[in-house]
Structures are given as structure tokens and as C-alpha cells.
Amino acid sequence: AEVADALSKLHLLRSSAATSMPNGHLKVIGVGLDETGSDALATALKRLGYTVVNHWYDKSRSPACTTAQCKSIPAQLVSTISGIATRPNFGLGGVFHGADAVIGPPADLFLQEALASNPDLKVILMVRHLGDWSSSLKCKMRSWGTGRRQTAQQSLFHKLVYGSDQLPSDYMLHKRYLEHADLVRSVPADRLLVLDIANAAANGDAWRQLCTLLRLSRCSSQLISSHFPRVSNPCSSVPGR
């Protein structure tokens, strides 16, 4: 019932939000699931000069931003999901105000609103080998705890993103992963990058792919040929969860 109520609220938001709000300035939204390299991507974007909010739903980790506006984004997103904010603004001065990039779930819940309200927005879907991903995610879920060990906010987010706050079966995780990948079907090709960070970094191609999408002056040949960021992660061999 809790998830159905939250999904119903999201449906209502989609029918009412982003209708008359001025366009916003969000530049990047990373819609990969946990354990697909979001930390590495966030580190790379910060190196390119972006203000980044990463893992905003995880209270044990601080958003990677310093301004008061940027720091308010997690609270605004929580208010939106919980239904406190009944007509959220995803454009200028709205939910994402103060950040250039928002990375990691459950940002994907607001992909369509973000696209409609931010005309220059680029979408990055982080992917990895399905079996490796599910093994890493189960490891991470065990560290989160399940059911009563989670906060009410964590529990709701996990239900919305993964279908359960318990440890799902491999079948359900694989099903969720494949369904999640369909989110980007409607995104124009010039605004989308599907990035396998583990493979691209191993092949020395991650910076090139990212810079081809973003087209920034900071994307020098020296940067493109350098090593992509690696972030320590006890649950995964992918360079940055």
C-alpha cells in the first residue's frame, strides 16, 4: 500500500509538474542503478567543474556540494517523493536548483520531469554485466540491512527503486535491471550516453565517451587519455559504485 500510494503521487506529479515553470539549468542526470559506477561518474563530473549531488537519499553520506541551495536538494526530493510538495518545480529555482548534476537512484523517478524542464539536460545510463551487478547489489543491500533495520525513508526508496526493502531474488533483480534500462528509450540520441564504466575505463575510453556527450572545453586530449576515476568499493570491482 505504501508503494502504491507513492507511485500514485508520482503519477499525479507527472500530470501537473513542469507545465508553466521557467526552464532550469540542470546539465546531467545519471540514472544508473546502485553498483553501476555512480561514485566514479560523480568524481569525473566534479573534475569537469560540475556541482554534483550523488547518493542524495543516503543519510550516511553528504552531498558533494557546498552551497546552501545545493545542500537543500536532498530535502526537496524527499518532500517530493513523500507527497509533502504537491506541485514541485523541476525547472528554474526548483527541486534541482543549485546543482549541475544529480547522480544515482532514485533520480530516475524524475527523469521525464527533468528532461521536460531542463532543455540542455544530458542523460547518462550507467550499466554493467548483469550477473556482476546483481552480486554487487546484494552485497550492498546486506550492508544496508532490511525491513526494520532501515529508516522509513530508506525502506520507501528501496521499494520504489528495487520493488522491495528485503533482499530480492536474482530473477527479480535481473527483471528490475532490464526494466530500468527501458527508461531511456524516449531520450533523444544526442542527449544520451549508455556508459559501461568498468569496460570503458579498462579500455581507456571512458573519458572520450563522456566528453563526446558533454562537449566541454575542459575535455582536453590530455584529460581524455588519462585514467578515469576509481573509487574504493568493497562490494564491487567496478571503479566506483
PDB file of all heavy atoms in Angstrom, residues 163-185:
ATOM      1  N   GLY A 163      11.683  -2.568  -5.749  1.00  0.00           N
ATOM      2  CA  GLY A 163      10.479  -3.374  -5.557  1.00  0.00           C
ATOM      3  C   GLY A 163      10.336  -3.976  -4.185  1.00  0.00           C
ATOM      4  O   GLY A 163       9.305  -4.577  -3.872  1.00  0.00           O
ATOM      5  N   SER A 164      11.349  -3.839  -3.333  1.00  0.00           N
ATOM      6  CA  SER A 164      11.288  -4.455  -2.002  1.00  0.00           C
ATOM      7  C   SER A 164      12.369  -3.846  -1.123  1.00  0.00           C
ATOM      8  O   SER A 164      13.411  -3.397  -1.614  1.00  0.00           O
ATOM      9  CB  SER A 164      11.507  -5.966  -2.114  1.00  0.00           C
ATOM     10  OG  SER A 164      11.583  -6.561  -0.834  1.00  0.00           O
ATOM     11  N   ASP A 165      12.114  -3.830   0.204  1.00  0.00           N
ATOM     12  CA  ASP A 165      13.177  -3.464   1.131  1.00  0.00           C
ATOM     13  C   ASP A 165      13.819  -4.714   1.723  1.00  0.00           C
ATOM     14  O   ASP A 165      14.656  -4.641   2.618  1.00  0.00           O
ATOM     15  CB  ASP A 165      12.666  -2.536   2.238  1.00  0.00           C
ATOM     16  CG  ASP A 165      11.586  -3.180   3.099  1.00  0.00           C
ATOM     17  OD1 ASP A 165      11.207  -4.340   2.828  1.00  0.00           O
ATOM     18  OD2 ASP A 165      11.119  -2.516   4.046  1.00  0.00           O
ATOM     19  N   GLN A 166      13.421  -5.872   1.221  1.00  0.00           N
ATOM     20  CA  GLN A 166      14.071  -7.132   1.549  1.00  0.00           C
ATOM     21  C   GLN A 166      15.052  -7.482   0.431  1.00  0.00           C
ATOM     22  O   GLN A 166      15.096  -6.826  -0.612  1.00  0.00           O
ATOM     23  CB  GLN A 166      13.026  -8.241   1.702  1.00  0.00           C
ATOM     24  CG  GLN A 166      11.909  -7.924   2.687  1.00  0.00           C
ATOM     25  CD  GLN A 166      12.427  -7.706   4.100  1.00  0.00           C
ATOM     26  OE1 GLN A 166      13.263  -8.461   4.574  1.00  0.00           O
ATOM     27  NE2 GLN A 166      11.924  -6.664   4.766  1.00  0.00           N
ATOM     28  N   LEU A 167      15.835  -8.532   0.620  1.00  0.00           N
ATOM     29  CA  LEU A 167      16.811  -8.942  -0.389  1.00  0.00           C
ATOM     30  C   LEU A 167      16.091  -9.705  -1.495  1.00  0.00           C
ATOM     31  O   LEU A 167      15.615 -10.814  -1.283  1.00  0.00           O
ATOM     32  CB  LEU A 167      17.881  -9.818   0.248  1.00  0.00           C
ATOM     33  CG  LEU A 167      19.117 -10.108  -0.602  1.00  0.00           C
ATOM     34  CD1 LEU A 167      19.873  -8.816  -0.902  1.00  0.00           C
ATOM     35  CD2 LEU A 167      20.027 -11.100   0.107  1.00  0.00           C
ATOM     36  N   PRO A 168      15.973  -9.122  -2.716  1.00  0.00           N
ATOM     37  CA  PRO A 168      15.221  -9.781  -3.785  1.00  0.00           C
ATOM     38  C   PRO A 168      15.974 -10.997  -4.336  1.00  0.00           C
ATOM     39  O   PRO A 168      17.183 -11.144  -4.152  1.00  0.00           O
ATOM     40  CB  PRO A 168      15.106  -8.695  -4.867  1.00  0.00           C
ATOM     41  CG  PRO A 168      15.471  -7.415  -4.195  1.00  0.00           C
ATOM     42  CD  PRO A 168      16.428  -7.786  -3.118  1.00  0.00           C
ATOM     43  N   SER A 169      15.247 -11.848  -5.045  1.00  0.00           N
ATOM     44  CA  SER A 169      15.865 -12.981  -5.728  1.00  0.00           C
ATOM     45  C   SER A 169      16.632 -12.481  -6.949  1.00  0.00           C
ATOM     46  O   SER A 169      16.427 -11.360  -7.421  1.00  0.00           O
ATOM     47  CB  SER A 169      14.794 -13.972  -6.174  1.00  0.00           C
ATOM     48  OG  SER A 169      13.966 -13.377  -7.173  1.00  0.00           O
ATOM     49  N   ASP A 170      17.527 -13.321  -7.482  1.00  0.00           N
ATOM     50  CA  ASP A 170      18.246 -12.957  -8.695  1.00  0.00           C
ATOM     51  C   ASP A 170      17.283 -12.655  -9.831  1.00  0.00           C
ATOM     52  O   ASP A 170      17.498 -11.718 -10.606  1.00  0.00           O
ATOM     53  CB  ASP A 170      19.197 -14.088  -9.110  1.00  0.00           C
ATOM     54  CG  ASP A 170      20.451 -14.135  -8.265  1.00  0.00           C
ATOM     55  OD1 ASP A 170      20.784 -13.119  -7.624  1.00  0.00           O
ATOM     56  OD2 ASP A 170      21.107 -15.195  -8.237  1.00  0.00           O
ATOM     57  N   TYR A 171      16.229 -13.452  -9.926  1.00  0.00           N
ATOM     58  CA  TYR A 171      15.263 -13.251 -11.002  1.00  0.00           C
ATOM     59  C   TYR A 171      14.651 -11.854 -10.926  1.00  0.00           C
ATOM     60  O   TYR A 171      14.569 -11.145 -11.937  1.00  0.00           O
ATOM     61  CB  TYR A 171      14.155 -14.295 -10.937  1.00  0.00           C
ATOM     62  CG  TYR A 171      13.036 -14.040 -11.924  1.00  0.00           C
ATOM     63  CD1 TYR A 171      13.163 -14.407 -13.264  1.00  0.00           C
ATOM     64  CD2 TYR A 171      11.861 -13.391 -11.525  1.00  0.00           C
ATOM     65  CE1 TYR A 171      12.160 -14.156 -14.173  1.00  0.00           C
ATOM     66  CE2 TYR A 171      10.849 -13.129 -12.436  1.00  0.00           C
ATOM     67  CZ  TYR A 171      10.998 -13.513 -13.756  1.00  0.00           C
ATOM     68  OH  TYR A 171      10.000 -13.241 -14.660  1.00  0.00           O
ATOM     69  N   MET A 172      14.238 -11.433  -9.723  1.00  0.00           N
ATOM     70  CA  MET A 172      13.598 -10.129  -9.579  1.00  0.00           C
ATOM     71  C   MET A 172      14.595  -8.985  -9.794  1.00  0.00           C
ATOM     72  O   MET A 172      14.252  -7.947 -10.370  1.00  0.00           O
ATOM     73  CB  MET A 172      12.946 -10.006  -8.201  1.00  0.00           C
ATOM     74  CG  MET A 172      11.747 -10.936  -8.007  1.00  0.00           C
ATOM     75  SD  MET A 172      10.485 -10.732  -9.302  1.00  0.00           S
ATOM     76  CE  MET A 172       9.968  -9.035  -9.031  1.00  0.00           C
ATOM     77  N   LEU A 173      15.834  -9.198  -9.359  1.00  0.00           N
ATOM     78  CA  LEU A 173      16.848  -8.170  -9.597  1.00  0.00           C
ATOM     79  C   LEU A 173      17.129  -8.018 -11.087  1.00  0.00           C
ATOM     80  O   LEU A 173      17.222  -6.897 -11.606  1.00  0.00           O
ATOM     81  CB  LEU A 173      18.140  -8.507  -8.862  1.00  0.00           C
ATOM     82  CG  LEU A 173      18.187  -8.197  -7.364  1.00  0.00           C
ATOM     83  CD1 LEU A 173      19.528  -8.602  -6.789  1.00  0.00           C
ATOM     84  CD2 LEU A 173      17.930  -6.717  -7.100  1.00  0.00           C
ATOM     85  N   HIS A 174      17.264  -9.140 -11.793  1.00  0.00           N
ATOM     86  CA  HIS A 174      17.519  -9.079 -13.230  1.00  0.00           C
ATOM     87  C   HIS A 174      16.343  -8.428 -13.954  1.00  0.00           C
ATOM     88  O   HIS A 174      16.542  -7.616 -14.875  1.00  0.00           O
ATOM     89  CB  HIS A 174      17.758 -10.481 -13.781  1.00  0.00           C
ATOM     90  CG  HIS A 174      19.029 -11.093 -13.301  1.00  0.00           C
ATOM     91  ND1 HIS A 174      19.444 -12.349 -13.688  1.00  0.00           N
ATOM     92  CD2 HIS A 174      19.996 -10.625 -12.461  1.00  0.00           C
ATOM     93  CE1 HIS A 174      20.602 -12.628 -13.113  1.00  0.00           C
ATOM     94  NE2 HIS A 174      20.949 -11.598 -12.357  1.00  0.00           N
ATOM     95  N   LYS A 175      15.133  -8.760 -13.531  1.00  0.00           N
ATOM     96  CA  LYS A 175      13.936  -8.166 -14.129  1.00  0.00           C
ATOM     97  C   LYS A 175      13.943  -6.643 -13.914  1.00  0.00           C
ATOM     98  O   LYS A 175      13.675  -5.872 -14.845  1.00  0.00           O
ATOM     99  CB  LYS A 175      12.693  -8.788 -13.495  1.00  0.00           C
ATOM    100  CG  LYS A 175      11.354  -8.185 -13.952  1.00  0.00           C
ATOM    101  CD  LYS A 175      10.201  -8.922 -13.253  1.00  0.00           C
ATOM    102  CE  LYS A 175       8.879  -8.200 -13.478  1.00  0.00           C
ATOM    103  NZ  LYS A 175       8.489  -8.191 -14.902  1.00  0.00           N
ATOM    104  N   ARG A 176      14.270  -6.221 -12.708  1.00  0.00           N
ATOM    105  CA  ARG A 176      14.293  -4.790 -12.404  1.00  0.00           C
ATOM    106  C   ARG A 176      15.365  -4.078 -13.230  1.00  0.00           C
ATOM    107  O   ARG A 176      15.144  -2.972 -13.739  1.00  0.00           O
ATOM    108  CB  ARG A 176      14.563  -4.575 -10.906  1.00  0.00           C
ATOM    109  CG  ARG A 176      14.668  -3.103 -10.498  1.00  0.00           C
ATOM    110  CD  ARG A 176      13.325  -2.410 -10.628  1.00  0.00           C
ATOM    111  NE  ARG A 176      13.439  -0.982 -10.404  1.00  0.00           N
ATOM    112  CZ  ARG A 176      13.428  -0.061 -11.363  1.00  0.00           C
ATOM    113  NH1 ARG A 176      13.309  -0.422 -12.632  1.00  0.00           N
ATOM    114  NH2 ARG A 176      13.537   1.221 -11.068  1.00  0.00           N
ATOM    115  N   TYR A 177      16.527  -4.695 -13.372  1.00  0.00           N
ATOM    116  CA  TYR A 177      17.613  -4.090 -14.131  1.00  0.00           C
ATOM    117  C   TYR A 177      17.204  -3.854 -15.583  1.00  0.00           C
ATOM    118  O   TYR A 177      17.426  -2.775 -16.145  1.00  0.00           O
ATOM    119  CB  TYR A 177      18.836  -5.001 -14.060  1.00  0.00           C
ATOM    120  CG  TYR A 177      20.050  -4.497 -14.792  1.00  0.00           C
ATOM    121  CD1 TYR A 177      21.034  -3.774 -14.124  1.00  0.00           C
ATOM    122  CD2 TYR A 177      20.228  -4.746 -16.149  1.00  0.00           C
ATOM    123  CE1 TYR A 177      22.159  -3.303 -14.788  1.00  0.00           C
ATOM    124  CE2 TYR A 177      21.349  -4.278 -16.822  1.00  0.00           C
ATOM    125  CZ  TYR A 177      22.311  -3.565 -16.135  1.00  0.00           C
ATOM    126  OH  TYR A 177      23.408  -3.109 -16.808  1.00  0.00           O
ATOM    127  N   LEU A 178      16.594  -4.860 -16.199  1.00  0.00           N
ATOM    128  CA  LEU A 178      16.212  -4.753 -17.607  1.00  0.00           C
ATOM    129  C   LEU A 178      15.078  -3.749 -17.803  1.00  0.00           C
ATOM    130  O   LEU A 178      15.060  -2.996 -18.781  1.00  0.00           O
ATOM    131  CB  LEU A 178      15.816  -6.131 -18.140  1.00  0.00           C
ATOM    132  CG  LEU A 178      16.970  -7.155 -18.170  1.00  0.00           C
ATOM    133  CD1 LEU A 178      16.446  -8.533 -18.543  1.00  0.00           C
ATOM    134  CD2 LEU A 178      18.064  -6.711 -19.128  1.00  0.00           C
ATOM    135  N   GLU A 179      14.130  -3.734 -16.863  1.00  0.00           N
ATOM    136  CA  GLU A 179      13.056  -2.744 -16.935  1.00  0.00           C
ATOM    137  C   GLU A 179      13.613  -1.329 -16.783  1.00  0.00           C
ATOM    138  O   GLU A 179      13.165  -0.390 -17.446  1.00  0.00           O
ATOM    139  CB  GLU A 179      12.019  -3.016 -15.845  1.00  0.00           C
ATOM    140  CG  GLU A 179      11.189  -4.261 -16.092  1.00  0.00           C
ATOM    141  CD  GLU A 179      10.273  -4.589 -14.932  1.00  0.00           C
ATOM    142  OE1 GLU A 179      10.461  -4.027 -13.832  1.00  0.00           O
ATOM    143  OE2 GLU A 179       9.376  -5.439 -15.111  1.00  0.00           O
ATOM    144  N   HIS A 180      14.588  -1.186 -15.901  1.00  0.00           N
ATOM    145  CA  HIS A 180      15.192   0.122 -15.663  1.00  0.00           C
ATOM    146  C   HIS A 180      15.860   0.658 -16.928  1.00  0.00           C
ATOM    147  O   HIS A 180      15.776   1.857 -17.231  1.00  0.00           O
ATOM    148  CB  HIS A 180      16.212   0.010 -14.527  1.00  0.00           C
ATOM    149  CG  HIS A 180      16.859   1.305 -14.176  1.00  0.00           C
ATOM    150  ND1 HIS A 180      16.276   2.219 -13.330  1.00  0.00           N
ATOM    151  CD2 HIS A 180      18.032   1.856 -14.560  1.00  0.00           C
ATOM    152  CE1 HIS A 180      17.060   3.273 -13.205  1.00  0.00           C
ATOM    153  NE2 HIS A 180      18.135   3.080 -13.942  1.00  0.00           N
ATOM    154  N   ALA A 181      16.512  -0.228 -17.666  1.00  0.00           N
ATOM    155  CA  ALA A 181      17.200   0.192 -18.890  1.00  0.00           C
ATOM    156  C   ALA A 181      16.233   0.764 -19.918  1.00  0.00           C
ATOM    157  O   ALA A 181      16.619   1.601 -20.749  1.00  0.00           O
ATOM    158  CB  ALA A 181      17.970  -0.976 -19.481  1.00  0.00           C
ATOM    159  N   ASP A 182      14.966   0.342 -19.854  1.00  0.00           N
ATOM    160  CA  ASP A 182      13.973   0.853 -20.803  1.00  0.00           C
ATOM    161  C   ASP A 182      13.614   2.315 -20.552  1.00  0.00           C
ATOM    162  O   ASP A 182      12.963   2.947 -21.394  1.00  0.00           O
ATOM    163  CB  ASP A 182      12.692   0.008 -20.730  1.00  0.00           C
ATOM    164  CG  ASP A 182      12.854  -1.337 -21.427  1.00  0.00           C
ATOM    165  OD1 ASP A 182      13.761  -1.454 -22.277  1.00  0.00           O
ATOM    166  OD2 ASP A 182      12.088  -2.265 -21.122  1.00  0.00           O
ATOM    167  N   LEU A 183      14.020   2.853 -19.389  1.00  0.00           N
ATOM    168  CA  LEU A 183      13.693   4.242 -19.066  1.00  0.00           C
ATOM    169  C   LEU A 183      14.173   5.218 -20.133  1.00  0.00           C
ATOM    170  O   LEU A 183      13.555   6.250 -20.365  1.00  0.00           O
ATOM    171  CB  LEU A 183      14.349   4.634 -17.731  1.00  0.00           C
ATOM    172  CG  LEU A 183      13.686   4.208 -16.424  1.00  0.00           C
ATOM    173  CD1 LEU A 183      14.598   4.551 -15.266  1.00  0.00           C
ATOM    174  CD2 LEU A 183      12.334   4.888 -16.266  1.00  0.00           C
ATOM    175  N   VAL A 184      15.285   4.892 -20.766  1.00  0.00           N
ATOM    176  CA  VAL A 184      15.920   5.868 -21.652  1.00  0.00           C
ATOM    177  C   VAL A 184      15.484   5.729 -23.107  1.00  0.00           C
ATOM    178  O   VAL A 184      16.002   6.431 -23.980  1.00  0.00           O
ATOM    179  CB  VAL A 184      17.456   5.769 -21.572  1.00  0.00           C
ATOM    180  CG1 VAL A 184      17.926   6.021 -20.152  1.00  0.00           C
ATOM    181  CG2 VAL A 184      17.947   4.409 -22.062  1.00  0.00           C
ATOM    182  N   ARG A 185      14.538   4.848 -23.397  1.00  0.00           N
ATOM    183  CA  ARG A 185      14.127   4.625 -24.780  1.00  0.00           C
ATOM    184  C   ARG A 185      13.664   5.906 -25.469  1.00  0.00           C
ATOM    185  O   ARG A 185      13.860   6.083 -26.676  1.00  0.00           O
ATOM    186  CB  ARG A 185      13.004   3.579 -24.839  1.00  0.00           C
ATOM    187  CG  ARG A 185      13.475   2.150 -24.674  1.00  0.00           C
ATOM    188  CD  ARG A 185      12.314   1.184 -24.850  1.00  0.00           C
ATOM    189  NE  ARG A 185      12.721  -0.199 -24.707  1.00  0.00           N
ATOM    190  CZ  ARG A 185      13.192  -0.943 -25.699  1.00  0.00           C
ATOM    191  NH1 ARG A 185      13.304  -0.438 -26.903  1.00  0.00           N
ATOM    192  NH2 ARG A 185      13.544  -2.199 -25.494  1.00  0.00           N
TER     193      ARG A 185
END
